[in-house]
Amino acid sequence: MNPWDLNEPDPTDAGTMGTIPGPVIECEVGDTVLVHFRNMDIQAMDPQSPNRVHSLHPHGFVFERAQDGAYPLSPPDQDQPVPAAEAAAWAGVLDPRGILKQGDRVPPGGTFTYRWETFGWPTTAGVWLYHDHSICDMENVGLGAIGIIVIHNPADDRNEVDIRLPNDPTSADPALLPGGSPNGSPITDDCIPLGGLPILPHHLAGLGAPPPPGMPGNGGGPTSVAEHAKHAARAKGREPRLERVTTVGGLRLELDEDLRTALGVWCPTYHQPPSKALYLQLFHMLAGVDRMTINGRVFLGNTPTLIAGLDTRMRFGVVGMGDDIHTFHIHGHRWTIPGPDGADPETIQASPQVRAVSQFEDTRVFGPADSMAFTIDGAPGSFTRAGGPEADQSIGEWHMHCHVLMHMMNGMMGSHMIIRGGELVEGLPEGVPCEMGGGHTGDHPDEAQTHEVVMQHSQYVPPSMSVHVGDQVRFVNQDNNAHTVDWDTAGVLPNSPNINGPGGRLPASVRAEADHDPGDRSRAAPTPRHRLPVRDAARA
């Protein structure tokens, strides 16, 4: 999505189900785009349920009605008969029982090919949205059936940023990607030789341990020594010997074969930032998340931390979806919105879309399905860069957020970091929770609540829980086996003795004290809460 996002999830990691927003559909003015869509909905419900049909509806393109993907008004496509292999899937959704596919109701196991046009019109250029527009589209969009379209304008040599290879528009230019990979991390590892520094026996306790707090990985990057090594191997072809890596005083040391001396220290550093970058962001609500998200994530350290250099040409594409009006605001930087010349339709249609049509601004309002694209020239001397005209004046981390304050307080905040490249990676600034009204904020009740976690079938039910400061959590064992409640964050809460079942419970409920989540760099998190991993020592 944003290769130079410090907190971008790695889609090659095990357990990743997909991305939010979905895959970027990218082309340029003059292209025809064919999207081969297959419905792979595997929800546990009746295969013939109309709630499982899906579609793709685009913004920005020009298309015929059959390619609209808008239920229930898109007519059958005369060029796409239902093949025998898909007949059973389509039988339950075509009404009357037709023989032609309809792109507004693609069933599980069914396919549809959408054809979208630009006709060479510069008016199609920009950043747009695509999303499910079939039955239950609101729920499906909230679950991630949404993505971003980028239509490049080759005529706009002032604002356009295209990081694709000129001879292969389906691939990004490795020279503009972190470590040459679209899935790379902006962070790599360098090994500084130590020449066999002796260690003490207790230093071996850190073998295989994850990086300490403040190291990259606690806010969305690699989260273990193994994952750090994987990112380093992508970039330099050098991988630490994991069985010999120990963490001592915040340093990751690689030991000799006898585990007696340290041969080198592995230091995370930033890759050289790109000369140009495309940053795409979706401001929306996500099903099951009671916060405001950017690209499906909330709060600094999780939301995008976008990396750029001292002279990076930065193209931003910002899209909104949901029920709310947002503003995009980035500290220190400024921009103008490009648009057409002329005042009549004919002149507008033929215009290269390069004239500034907005005032000089650092905040812009946008709403549901609204989108905008603009470019910030980060080169020294540019009036759009942060800090000032001198080369080093833009260096550092700059706030980037929705300026609807309630939205920002609910997680819709990220940051933009300007670096030289090669600097040592260290913990970024962290905020503190905002406590008001006795520890509760917004419309949360002031009185403490009691929550219950059931231990049954060797599982905690529910498996995770968010509580307010002052709330009580009661653990009840409904198994025939004994269980315990142990906290992996040592010393924060006491571990329990064995709890016999069925019906056994802790002698006293656990009380949630104020505690800042180290994985959440929010400047003002509205509700302090524990995010402490729980394990069961009796069943380990």
Side-chain angles (χ1 to χ4, degrees), residues 384-417:
T384 61
R385 77 193 308 259
E390 301 298 326
D392 291 348
Q393 288 180 306
S394 64
I395 289 178
E397 189 178 15
W398 302 86
H399 218 326
M400 180 180 66
H401 57 89
C402 176
H403 222 303
V404 179
L405 295 183
M406 182 59 70
H407 297 181
M408 182 177 70
M409 294 285 285
N410 274 284
M412 195 166 270
M413 57 174 76
S415 68
H416 187 40
M417 188 157 60

mmCIF file of all heavy atoms in Angstrom, residues 384-417:
data_model
loop_
_atom_site.group_PDB
_atom_site.id
_atom_site.type_symbol
_atom_site.label_atom_id
_atom_site.label_comp_id
_atom_site.label_asym_id
_atom_site.label_seq_id
_atom_site.Cartn_x
_atom_site.Cartn_y
_atom_site.Cartn_z
ATOM 1 N N THR A 384 6.582 24.241 -0.253
ATOM 2 C CA THR A 384 5.646 23.240 0.258
ATOM 3 C C THR A 384 6.261 22.332 1.311
ATOM 4 O O THR A 384 5.538 21.611 1.993
ATOM 5 C CB THR A 384 5.103 22.376 -0.895
ATOM 6 O OG1 THR A 384 6.183 21.685 -1.523
ATOM 7 C CG2 THR A 384 4.369 23.214 -1.924
ATOM 8 N N ARG A 385 7.582 22.311 1.448
ATOM 9 C CA ARG A 385 8.235 21.417 2.403
ATOM 10 C C ARG A 385 8.120 21.971 3.816
ATOM 11 O O ARG A 385 7.813 23.164 4.028
ATOM 12 C CB ARG A 385 9.701 21.217 2.024
ATOM 13 C CG ARG A 385 10.590 22.406 2.406
ATOM 14 C CD ARG A 385 11.955 22.364 1.763
ATOM 15 N NE ARG A 385 12.674 21.134 1.950
ATOM 16 C CZ ARG A 385 13.656 20.969 2.842
ATOM 17 N NH1 ARG A 385 13.980 21.965 3.652
ATOM 18 N NH2 ARG A 385 14.311 19.824 2.906
ATOM 19 N N ALA A 386 8.378 21.109 4.802
ATOM 20 C CA ALA A 386 8.291 21.524 6.199
ATOM 21 C C ALA A 386 9.597 22.140 6.667
ATOM 22 O O ALA A 386 10.663 21.901 6.102
ATOM 23 C CB ALA A 386 7.951 20.311 7.068
ATOM 24 N N GLY A 387 9.517 22.928 7.728
ATOM 25 C CA GLY A 387 10.683 23.415 8.424
ATOM 26 C C GLY A 387 11.268 24.692 7.889
ATOM 27 O O GLY A 387 11.614 25.591 8.655
ATOM 28 N N GLY A 388 11.448 24.806 6.601
ATOM 29 C CA GLY A 388 12.072 25.974 5.996
ATOM 30 C C GLY A 388 12.826 25.596 4.740
ATOM 31 O O GLY A 388 12.862 24.429 4.341
ATOM 32 N N PRO A 389 13.476 26.557 4.086
ATOM 33 C CA PRO A 389 14.098 26.282 2.785
ATOM 34 C C PRO A 389 15.421 25.539 2.871
ATOM 35 O O PRO A 389 15.852 24.933 1.890
ATOM 36 C CB PRO A 389 14.301 27.687 2.200
ATOM 37 C CG PRO A 389 14.433 28.579 3.398
ATOM 38 C CD PRO A 389 13.529 27.991 4.431
ATOM 39 N N GLU A 390 16.095 25.579 4.039
ATOM 40 C CA GLU A 390 17.393 24.928 4.149
ATOM 41 C C GLU A 390 17.235 23.410 4.211
ATOM 42 O O GLU A 390 16.220 22.887 4.686
ATOM 43 C CB GLU A 390 18.136 25.426 5.389
ATOM 44 C CG GLU A 390 18.380 26.936 5.414
ATOM 45 C CD GLU A 390 19.242 27.376 4.249
ATOM 46 O OE1 GLU A 390 20.134 26.611 3.838
ATOM 47 O OE2 GLU A 390 19.012 28.495 3.732
ATOM 48 N N ALA A 391 18.272 22.682 3.759
ATOM 49 C CA ALA A 391 18.176 21.232 3.562
ATOM 50 C C ALA A 391 17.736 20.491 4.809
ATOM 51 O O ALA A 391 16.825 19.667 4.766
ATOM 52 C CB ALA A 391 19.524 20.692 3.064
ATOM 53 N N ASP A 392 18.367 20.770 5.974
ATOM 54 C CA ASP A 392 18.101 19.973 7.169
ATOM 55 C C ASP A 392 16.912 20.460 7.987
ATOM 56 O O ASP A 392 16.576 19.854 9.005
ATOM 57 C CB ASP A 392 19.346 19.963 8.068
ATOM 58 C CG ASP A 392 20.492 19.174 7.464
ATOM 59 O OD1 ASP A 392 20.254 18.459 6.473
ATOM 60 O OD2 ASP A 392 21.623 19.265 7.993
ATOM 61 N N GLN A 393 16.262 21.532 7.560
ATOM 62 C CA GLN A 393 15.191 22.093 8.379
ATOM 63 C C GLN A 393 13.930 21.239 8.415
ATOM 64 O O GLN A 393 13.080 21.427 9.283
ATOM 65 C CB GLN A 393 14.850 23.508 7.889
ATOM 66 C CG GLN A 393 15.923 24.529 8.216
ATOM 67 C CD GLN A 393 15.549 25.918 7.715
ATOM 68 O OE1 GLN A 393 15.249 26.104 6.537
ATOM 69 N NE2 GLN A 393 15.575 26.898 8.604
ATOM 70 N N SER A 394 13.791 20.299 7.494
ATOM 71 C CA SER A 394 12.581 19.467 7.471
ATOM 72 C C SER A 394 12.746 18.173 8.260
ATOM 73 O O SER A 394 11.774 17.428 8.437
ATOM 74 C CB SER A 394 12.207 19.129 6.028
ATOM 75 O OG SER A 394 13.223 18.345 5.417
ATOM 76 N N ILE A 395 13.956 17.880 8.751
ATOM 77 C CA ILE A 395 14.222 16.588 9.403
ATOM 78 C C ILE A 395 13.381 16.435 10.661
ATOM 79 O O ILE A 395 13.231 17.368 11.454
ATOM 80 C CB ILE A 395 15.719 16.458 9.733
ATOM 81 C CG1 ILE A 395 16.534 16.261 8.454
ATOM 82 C CG2 ILE A 395 15.972 15.307 10.699
ATOM 83 C CD1 ILE A 395 18.022 16.165 8.678
ATOM 84 N N GLY A 396 12.830 15.251 10.854
ATOM 85 C CA GLY A 396 12.093 14.930 12.070
ATOM 86 C C GLY A 396 10.722 14.370 11.770
ATOM 87 O O GLY A 396 10.333 14.174 10.622
ATOM 88 N N GLU A 397 9.973 14.083 12.836
ATOM 89 C CA GLU A 397 8.632 13.490 12.726
ATOM 90 C C GLU A 397 7.580 14.584 12.848
ATOM 91 O O GLU A 397 7.586 15.364 13.812
ATOM 92 C CB GLU A 397 8.434 12.436 13.816
ATOM 93 C CG GLU A 397 7.161 11.629 13.644
ATOM 94 C CD GLU A 397 6.987 10.554 14.691
ATOM 95 O OE1 GLU A 397 7.698 10.601 15.714
ATOM 96 O OE2 GLU A 397 6.146 9.662 14.508
ATOM 97 N N TRP A 398 6.673 14.629 11.881
ATOM 98 C CA TRP A 398 5.625 15.640 11.814
ATOM 99 C C TRP A 398 4.259 14.972 11.951
ATOM 100 O O TRP A 398 4.001 13.941 11.338
ATOM 101 C CB TRP A 398 5.705 16.401 10.484
ATOM 102 C CG TRP A 398 7.020 17.073 10.243
ATOM 103 C CD1 TRP A 398 8.134 16.528 9.683
ATOM 104 C CD2 TRP A 398 7.361 18.421 10.570
ATOM 105 N NE1 TRP A 398 9.150 17.439 9.627
ATOM 106 C CE2 TRP A 398 8.697 18.619 10.161
ATOM 107 C CE3 TRP A 398 6.667 19.487 11.136
ATOM 108 C CZ2 TRP A 398 9.363 19.835 10.322
ATOM 109 C CZ3 TRP A 398 7.323 20.695 11.296
ATOM 110 C CH2 TRP A 398 8.647 20.865 10.900
ATOM 111 N N HIS A 399 3.392 15.604 12.741
ATOM 112 C CA HIS A 399 2.061 15.036 12.980
ATOM 113 C C HIS A 399 1.222 15.065 11.702
ATOM 114 O O HIS A 399 1.312 16.002 10.901
ATOM 115 C CB HIS A 399 1.360 15.847 14.070
ATOM 116 C CG HIS A 399 0.536 15.018 14.998
ATOM 117 N ND1 HIS A 399 -0.133 13.893 14.593
ATOM 118 C CD2 HIS A 399 0.262 15.161 16.331
ATOM 119 C CE1 HIS A 399 -0.797 13.392 15.629
ATOM 120 N NE2 HIS A 399 -0.575 14.130 16.692
ATOM 121 N N MET A 400 0.377 14.048 11.524
ATOM 122 C CA MET A 400 -0.514 13.919 10.365
ATOM 123 C C MET A 400 -1.806 13.295 10.876
ATOM 124 O O MET A 400 -1.790 12.182 11.394
ATOM 125 C CB MET A 400 0.158 13.038 9.301
ATOM 126 C CG MET A 400 -0.627 12.805 8.031
ATOM 127 S SD MET A 400 0.337 11.740 6.895
ATOM 128 C CE MET A 400 0.360 10.189 7.827
ATOM 129 N N HIS A 401 -2.946 13.989 10.728
ATOM 130 C CA HIS A 401 -4.150 13.493 11.385
ATOM 131 C C HIS A 401 -5.399 14.160 10.822
ATOM 132 O O HIS A 401 -5.327 15.141 10.079
ATOM 133 C CB HIS A 401 -4.074 13.759 12.889
ATOM 134 C CG HIS A 401 -3.887 15.200 13.266
ATOM 135 N ND1 HIS A 401 -4.930 16.072 13.465
ATOM 136 C CD2 HIS A 401 -2.759 15.925 13.480
ATOM 137 C CE1 HIS A 401 -4.474 17.259 13.796
ATOM 138 N NE2 HIS A 401 -3.151 17.215 13.803
ATOM 139 N N CYS A 402 -6.548 13.609 11.201
ATOM 140 C CA CYS A 402 -7.830 14.285 10.970
ATOM 141 C C CYS A 402 -7.953 15.389 12.009
ATOM 142 O O CYS A 402 -7.711 15.160 13.202
ATOM 143 C CB CYS A 402 -8.981 13.298 11.094
ATOM 144 S SG CYS A 402 -10.618 14.083 10.921
ATOM 145 N N HIS A 403 -8.340 16.592 11.563
ATOM 146 C CA HIS A 403 -8.432 17.702 12.499
ATOM 147 C C HIS A 403 -9.815 17.849 13.113
ATOM 148 O O HIS A 403 -10.082 18.845 13.809
ATOM 149 C CB HIS A 403 -8.003 19.015 11.837
ATOM 150 C CG HIS A 403 -7.154 19.872 12.724
ATOM 151 N ND1 HIS A 403 -7.578 20.294 13.957
ATOM 152 C CD2 HIS A 403 -5.898 20.360 12.577
ATOM 153 C CE1 HIS A 403 -6.638 21.025 14.530
ATOM 154 N NE2 HIS A 403 -5.601 21.077 13.715
ATOM 155 N N VAL A 404 -10.722 16.917 12.857
ATOM 156 C CA VAL A 404 -11.910 16.809 13.691
ATOM 157 C C VAL A 404 -11.419 16.199 14.999
ATOM 158 O O VAL A 404 -11.057 15.025 15.050
ATOM 159 C CB VAL A 404 -12.988 15.931 13.037
ATOM 160 C CG1 VAL A 404 -14.209 15.820 13.936
ATOM 161 C CG2 VAL A 404 -13.379 16.479 11.673
ATOM 162 N N LEU A 405 -11.343 16.984 16.057
ATOM 163 C CA LEU A 405 -10.603 16.585 17.244
ATOM 164 C C LEU A 405 -11.107 15.282 17.855
ATOM 165 O O LEU A 405 -10.317 14.476 18.346
ATOM 166 C CB LEU A 405 -10.630 17.716 18.279
ATOM 167 C CG LEU A 405 -9.903 18.997 17.865
ATOM 168 C CD1 LEU A 405 -9.943 20.014 19.000
ATOM 169 C CD2 LEU A 405 -8.469 18.715 17.454
ATOM 170 N N MET A 406 -12.411 15.058 17.816
ATOM 171 C CA MET A 406 -12.929 13.808 18.352
ATOM 172 C C MET A 406 -12.417 12.619 17.543
ATOM 173 O O MET A 406 -12.138 11.551 18.091
ATOM 174 C CB MET A 406 -14.457 13.834 18.382
ATOM 175 C CG MET A 406 -15.080 12.565 18.969
ATOM 176 S SD MET A 406 -14.539 12.235 20.662
ATOM 177 C CE MET A 406 -15.377 13.559 21.527
ATOM 178 N N HIS A 407 -12.285 12.802 16.219
ATOM 179 C CA HIS A 407 -11.763 11.722 15.387
ATOM 180 C C HIS A 407 -10.292 11.461 15.710
ATOM 181 O O HIS A 407 -9.855 10.305 15.782
ATOM 182 C CB HIS A 407 -11.918 12.069 13.909
ATOM 183 C CG HIS A 407 -13.338 12.220 13.478
ATOM 184 N ND1 HIS A 407 -13.688 12.521 12.177
ATOM 185 C CD2 HIS A 407 -14.513 12.114 14.156
ATOM 186 C CE1 HIS A 407 -15.005 12.585 12.082
ATOM 187 N NE2 HIS A 407 -15.526 12.363 13.272
ATOM 188 N N MET A 408 -9.532 12.521 15.890
ATOM 189 C CA MET A 408 -8.128 12.356 16.250
ATOM 190 C C MET A 408 -8.003 11.661 17.600
ATOM 191 O O MET A 408 -7.188 10.746 17.771
ATOM 192 C CB MET A 408 -7.425 13.716 16.285
ATOM 193 C CG MET A 408 -5.941 13.627 16.604
ATOM 194 S SD MET A 408 -5.092 15.227 16.561
ATOM 195 C CE MET A 408 -5.786 16.018 18.005
ATOM 196 N N MET A 409 -8.813 12.075 18.562
ATOM 197 C CA MET A 409 -8.762 11.458 19.891
ATOM 198 C C MET A 409 -9.185 10.000 19.856
ATOM 199 O O MET A 409 -8.889 9.243 20.782
ATOM 200 C CB MET A 409 -9.658 12.239 20.848
ATOM 201 C CG MET A 409 -9.185 13.645 21.139
ATOM 202 S SD MET A 409 -7.778 13.686 22.258
ATOM 203 C CE MET A 409 -8.587 13.317 23.814
ATOM 204 N N ASN A 410 -9.890 9.604 18.795
ATOM 205 C CA ASN A 410 -10.322 8.217 18.655
ATOM 206 C C ASN A 410 -9.428 7.430 17.710
ATOM 207 O O ASN A 410 -9.845 6.402 17.185
ATOM 208 C CB ASN A 410 -11.780 8.153 18.192
ATOM 209 C CG ASN A 410 -12.751 8.213 19.355
ATOM 210 O OD1 ASN A 410 -12.931 7.245 20.074
ATOM 211 N ND2 ASN A 410 -13.343 9.373 19.568
ATOM 212 N N GLY A 411 -8.226 7.914 17.470
ATOM 213 C CA GLY A 411 -7.245 7.087 16.779
ATOM 214 C C GLY A 411 -6.855 7.514 15.396
ATOM 215 O O GLY A 411 -5.952 6.927 14.802
ATOM 216 N N MET A 412 -7.535 8.519 14.804
ATOM 217 C CA MET A 412 -7.280 8.890 13.416
ATOM 218 C C MET A 412 -6.087 9.842 13.344
ATOM 219 O O MET A 412 -6.206 11.022 13.049
ATOM 220 C CB MET A 412 -8.537 9.495 12.803
ATOM 221 C CG MET A 412 -8.532 9.590 11.293
ATOM 222 S SD MET A 412 -10.184 9.941 10.637
ATOM 223 C CE MET A 412 -10.829 8.284 10.389
ATOM 224 N N MET A 413 -4.916 9.307 13.656
ATOM 225 C CA MET A 413 -3.697 10.098 13.666
ATOM 226 C C MET A 413 -2.525 9.238 13.228
ATOM 227 O O MET A 413 -2.432 8.059 13.560
ATOM 228 C CB MET A 413 -3.432 10.656 15.067
ATOM 229 C CG MET A 413 -3.348 9.590 16.150
ATOM 230 S SD MET A 413 -2.855 10.263 17.759
ATOM 231 C CE MET A 413 -4.363 11.043 18.278
ATOM 232 N N GLY A 414 -1.651 9.838 12.426
ATOM 233 C CA GLY A 414 -0.429 9.182 12.003
ATOM 234 C C GLY A 414 0.697 10.187 12.038
ATOM 235 O O GLY A 414 0.623 11.201 12.745
ATOM 236 N N SER A 415 1.768 9.951 11.287
ATOM 237 C CA SER A 415 2.864 10.906 11.264
ATOM 238 C C SER A 415 3.649 10.785 9.968
ATOM 239 O O SER A 415 3.533 9.803 9.235
ATOM 240 C CB SER A 415 3.800 10.712 12.471
ATOM 241 O OG SER A 415 4.497 9.490 12.372
ATOM 242 N N HIS A 416 4.441 11.817 9.705
ATOM 243 C CA HIS A 416 5.268 11.887 8.498
ATOM 244 C C HIS A 416 6.688 12.197 8.957
ATOM 245 O O HIS A 416 6.919 13.220 9.617
ATOM 246 C CB HIS A 416 4.733 12.987 7.578
ATOM 247 C CG HIS A 416 5.388 13.049 6.239
ATOM 248 N ND1 HIS A 416 5.719 11.924 5.518
ATOM 249 C CD2 HIS A 416 5.786 14.111 5.489
ATOM 250 C CE1 HIS A 416 6.277 12.287 4.371
ATOM 251 N NE2 HIS A 416 6.335 13.603 4.334
ATOM 252 N N MET A 417 7.628 11.309 8.644
ATOM 253 C CA MET A 417 8.976 11.447 9.166
ATOM 254 C C MET A 417 9.971 11.676 8.034
ATOM 255 O O MET A 417 10.046 10.895 7.084
ATOM 256 C CB MET A 417 9.374 10.206 9.973
ATOM 257 C CG MET A 417 10.697 10.375 10.709
ATOM 258 S SD MET A 417 10.858 9.267 12.109
ATOM 259 C CE MET A 417 10.743 7.685 11.291
#
